[in-house]
Amino acid sequence: MSIKPGPIRLRVTDLHESVDDPALTSMTLLNELAGRYPDAVSFSAGRPFEGFYDVEDLSRHLMTFKSYLEDEKGLPAEQVRRTFFQYGRTKGFIHELIARQLEVDEGLIVDPESIVVTTGCQEAMVLLLRALVRDARDVILAATPNYVGFIGAARVAGAPLRSVREHEGGIDLEDLERQIAAARREGLRPRACYVVPDFANPSGASMSLVDRIALLELAEREQILVIEDNPYTLFRAGGPQLPMLKTLDEQHQVIHLGSFAKSAFAGARVGYVIADQPVTPDGASGAGPLLLADHLAKLKSMVTLNTSSVAQAVIGGYLLENGCSLKRATAREAAVYRQNLATVLDSLKSVFGTLPGLSQDVSWNTPQGGMFVVVTLPFTADDAMLEYSASKFGVLWTPMHHFYEGTAGFRQARLSFSVLTPEQITLGVGRLGALVQDQRARHLVGVAHS
Amino acid sequence: MSIKPGPIRLRVTDLHESVDDPALTSMTLLNELAGRYPDAVSFSAGRPFEGFYDVEDLSRHLMTFKSYLEDEKGLPAEQVRRTFFQYGRTKGFIHELIARQLEVDEGLIVDPESIVVTTGCQEAMVLLLRALVRDARDVILAATPNYVGFIGAARVAGAPLRSVREHEGGIDLEDLERQIAAARREGLRPRACYVVPDFANPSGASMSLVDRIALLELAEREQILVIEDNPYTLFRAGGPQLPMLKTLDEQHQVIHLGSFAKSAFAGARVGYVIADQPVTPDGASGAGPLLLADHLAKLKSMVTLNTSSVAQAVIGGYLLENGCSLKRATAREAAVYRQNLATVLDSLKSVFGTLPGLSQDVSWNTPQGGMFVVVTLPFTADDAMLEYSASKFGVLWTPMHHFYEGTAGFRQARLSFSVLTPEQITLGVGRLGALVQDQRARHLVGVAHS
């Protein structure tokens, strides 16, 4: 008692293990390298194009939304003020505008009551994964390479993930069926499968219409839910628009995740989830059935209470000013991404398709839209090689193996082109070519990279 | 295969158990009753006074913050735009203004790097509880009756809570010591204790300076963290201002939770956590020590990525326009709460202090500030009685036993007076008097309430 025990000793090993997850800490290295090599061309930033942002727009969006509440919704002044300033409806207050957007852009009719507006799509993933994992038997399937945000949500929600193979046409349905069977043999309960049907992050892969229908049939047969996340569908560069899974969903098997990060702006942190699945109540409670959305809202009331009112109002105003069409709202950005995608593919062809001895060991996919191209290299593309690439050749990219949780993708790099100019892209792909030549030369004379 | 399996069947018993937590579903009943009896005087709404809100202020706050970025921070136009629109720093970008406010109002000096700006204080609780519970041995202590938001955060984060008794002077330190010892005997690891030192929600209790110091000594002796949540400290109606626990904290034992819900506005969903505790890294990793704040930020990157940029900018502008003093910013609201508290106490005295035969069985506490008074009634004050009170007498209040997780408080009601006028308060307390007279009459003739 006379000895002062001193300050409390906290060790990282006393904290929840998700604080040290390798998939997520690797993203820290990327940011750190971007800061350390500011002149490097960065193909690693996944953020949207920012050339059309104007701070003055925010106030106008707020006023547009205020007029909507007054004129279209007919709310008295006191209620309008309350919408902007007070604790609000847990499921949010722009759900009707979101439903309108889905009808305008996708021909999808959803009950606004089945929508929960969330603090970005990230919170929607956390709520959903928390809801679906009741006990240690529950497991979530996901096409792999997987979106790093979904991996993170699973870690923090304590949801075990099981990988399903992906090919150029998106999720491998045969492997999905195999993984479901294997999980059941182990006494596990596969609850849902996560997919990004259009221009997936990180692979750029897209599902055919035939596979979309087959996935829904498989899900019905196996009695699992499908979690659809489709933020890049707005940025198609070629080929016909395909219906979203939710548009094809006749049996309420699809839970659809939505985001305004790639359309309006990422900083708003406004996303949503459509969860129109009826949930049978506990027999003892005497309560009526609720939608899965209502249960997710209960979890949301414990995580963030409600989505920021100002953020919702800004997004609401943005939707209203664009006739509730995100396609119309993002036409300029879509043109930028289309041009950038073409420039990446052209540059890759001109750098690697013409240099003798390189074409056969460098390959890449050709997505029809989105923000990502994946390049397969003739050497290991890990964090050490990334640092070498940044310091010696001034080009940054994202090692793909992080998205495979370290099981594959060791020779692949994701090239993200959303914030670059065509000139930067040409320059960057040229630098990537120099890195490949350097590695080939070292390999030929038997010297490993330092 | 030929039989269509039909839509997926989801049962509530297949979802995470926190979706059906009784403490939280009881709050749904309160909202539902308020909707069903719109003419009832509601002492149950815990939301802040809304008489001074003006939607036009929001645009001004945004522009004030923009000028701060340009003029004080000297950011180029491109970086200003990026701050408003892009994915941002996980720990937030108004941390320096928050640190300035704490110095101006509380004389507290904190490193801005130890602050994580969160999606309301609710997210801060979730991140913290998730971080502190590594395995099944970890347990969190909390003064009881407990804030319902903290109970919710613990449920969704999977953090086991252990109740510590509270008296008029806040947490019972002897019981805290007993509970720590008891937990250790059971092989558990008490990690932290949650307290609201000023005008707690729901009890209105406040800790003395002596007890604040004793709590920090106890925490140091027992090597536990103290989680301080102090949203009502701005609304003192009498007595001297006491230092916050974080102001007295010399050993980094206090994790301080902050909120702008009761000062700026609740809809913004902006709060923060100060976590300046150094965390020793895993020996194998080779990394340097981080602050607990940095680990919480890693969890935040998996829950909401970052706090809404527009929401942060609005709060930043509000702080700047008020010289970073919340005391100055909330002077008008504080006067309203002071008058309302006096009116509640006067009304209780005039209704229950003068009616013969009532004074001895109705009692109440006399908080020196905040938004809540607790009344002890001569009958069970549960959800059934609340419904009877609403339908027959037109007055709503909050059953206290929900905040004790059903272990105590069965005859207590929380009266929240933040959104009422003095006239509504007088009317409402009169109606409560009529309910008490009704119950006494029924009790005398042996008839239970229906």
Side-chain angles (χ1 to χ4, degrees), chain A residues 405-427:
Chain A
E405 306 195 48
T407 62
F410 294 106
R411 296 189 153 211
Q412 294 188 322
R414 186 189 73 176
L415 303 189
S416 171
F417 51 77
S418 46
V419 288
L420 299 176
T421 61
E423 295 68 35
Q424 290 171 316
I425 291 171
T426 311
L427 181 66

Side-chain angles (χ1 to χ4, degrees), chain A residues 1 4-21 24-25 46-51 53-59 62-63 66 78 80-82 84-87 119 122-124 126 130-134 138 147 149 152-153 155-158 189 191 219-221 223-225 251-253 261-262 264-269 277-282 292 295-296 298-311 314 419, chain B residues 1 4-21 24-25 28 46-51 53-59 62-63 66 78 80-82 84-87 119 122-124 126 130-134 138 147 149 152-153 155-158 189 191 219-221 223-225 251-253 261-262 264-269 277-282 292 295-296 298-311 314 419:
Chain A
M1 279 301 158
K4 280 279 239 182
I8 195 158
R9 282 170 294 277
L10 275 178
R11 293 164 305 184
V12 76
T13 46
D14 290 334
L15 302 180
H16 190 259
E17 59 189 1
S18 58
V19 303
D20 251 2
D21 195 76
L24 300 148
T25 48
R47 55 183 206 278
F49 183 75
E50 51 199 34
Y53 295 146
D54 184 346
V55 180
E56 313 288 324
D57 289 348
L58 297 172
S59 300
L62 289 174
M63 289 307 116
K66 180 167 178 266
E78 192 192 5
V80 171
R81 271 207 310 276
R82 206 170 278 163
F84 275 89
F85 289 99
Q86 277 291 12
Y87 294 111
T119 308
Q122 189 66 32
E123 188 194 25
V126 170
R130 192 61 171 157
L132 290 180
V133 176
R134 170 84 179 193
D138 295 313
Y147 169 51
R155 293 289 186 274
V156 79
R189 187 162 57 166
R191 299 296 300 270
E220 185 180 341
R221 199 161 65 232
Q223 292 278 297
I224 63 164
L225 292 159
Q251 303 276 23
H252 302 297
Q253 284 187 268
K262 306 298 186 291
F265 62 106
R269 309 310 308 127
Q277 291 69 25
V279 178
T280 312
D282 188 352
L292 180 58
H295 290 285
L296 297 179
K298 286 195 261 177
L299 294 179
K300 179 170 172 66
S301 76
M302 308 180 215
V303 176
T304 57
L305 297 188
N306 43 248
T307 300
S308 176
S309 57
V310 244
V314 163
V419 288
Chain B
M1 280 297 158
K4 278 278 237 186
I8 196 157
R9 280 169 296 277
L10 275 179
R11 292 163 306 182
V12 75
T13 47
D14 290 334
L15 302 180
H16 190 256
E17 57 189 1
S18 58
V19 302
D20 249 1
D21 195 75
L24 299 148
T25 47
T28 313
R47 58 184 204 275
F49 183 74
E50 52 197 35
Y53 294 145
D54 184 347
V55 180
E56 313 290 325
D57 289 348
L58 297 173
S59 300
L62 289 174
M63 289 306 115
K66 179 166 178 262
E78 192 193 6
V80 171
R81 272 208 311 276
R82 206 171 278 164
F84 276 89
F85 289 100
Q86 275 291 14
Y87 294 111
T119 308
Q122 189 67 32
E123 188 194 26
V126 170
R130 192 59 170 160
L132 291 180
V133 177
R134 170 86 180 192
D138 295 313
Y147 169 50
R155 294 287 186 277
V156 79
R189 186 161 60 165
R191 300 296 300 269
E220 186 181 341
R221 201 162 61 235
Q223 291 279 297
I224 63 164
L225 293 160
Q251 303 275 24
H252 302 298
Q253 286 186 267
K262 306 298 187 290
F265 62 105
R269 309 311 306 128
Q277 290 70 27
V279 177
T280 311
D282 189 352
L292 181 57
H295 291 286
L296 296 179
K298 286 194 260 176
L299 293 179
K300 181 171 171 66
S301 75
M302 308 179 215
V303 177
T304 57
L305 296 188
N306 44 246
T307 301
S308 174
S309 56
V310 244
V314 163
V419 287

Side-chain angles (χ1 to χ4, degrees), chain A residues 172-354:
Chain A
D172 179 333
L173 294 176
E174 281 178 30
D175 194 48
L176 174 57
E177 204 140 26
R178 261 195 307 274
Q179 294 301 332
I180 292 171
R184 290 204 171 122
R185 273 197 308 275
E186 294 168 36
L188 300 174
R189 187 162 57 166
R191 299 296 300 270
C193 180
Y194 173 77
V195 289
V196 181
D198 288 312
F199 326 124
N201 178 0
S203 69
S206 294
M207 295 176 72
S208 68
L209 180 58
V210 168
D211 267 12
R212 289 171 201 233
I213 294 166
L215 171 61
L216 294 183
E217 284 171 355
L218 187 160
E220 185 180 341
R221 199 161 65 232
E222 297 288 354
Q223 292 278 297
I224 63 164
L225 292 159
V226 174
I227 304 171
E228 173 181 47
D229 184 12
N230 215 0
Y232 306 103
T233 188
L234 292 164
F235 307 124
R236 174 170 294 281
Q241 187 188 342
L242 294 180
M244 301 197 305
L245 292 167
K246 190 67 196 163
T247 315
L248 299 168
D249 179 34
E250 290 172 1
Q251 303 276 23
H252 302 297
Q253 284 187 268
V254 178
I255 296 165
H256 181 87
L257 302 173
S259 169
F260 293 98
K262 306 298 186 291
S263 51
F265 62 106
R269 309 310 308 127
V270 177
Y272 61 91
V273 49
I274 307 170
D276 55 6
Q277 291 69 25
V279 178
T280 312
D282 188 352
S285 77
L290 294 173
L291 296 180
L292 180 58
D294 299 304
H295 290 285
L296 297 179
K298 286 195 261 177
L299 294 179
K300 179 170 172 66
S301 76
M302 308 180 215
V303 176
T304 57
L305 297 188
N306 43 248
T307 300
S308 176
S309 57
V310 244
Q312 285 190 78
V314 163
I315 298 299
Y318 168 92
L319 284 169
L320 286 159
E321 288 169 20
N322 288 288
C324 286
S325 169
L326 289 182
K327 278 187 195 160
R328 184 174 132 189
T330 60
R332 293 181 302 178
E333 284 85 354
V336 169
Y337 299 142
R338 231 176 357 250
Q339 188 190 9
N340 284 0
L341 172 58
T343 308
V344 170
L345 296 175
D346 287 350
S347 301
L348 286 168
K349 202 169 157 194
S350 89
V351 170
F352 297 110
T354 55

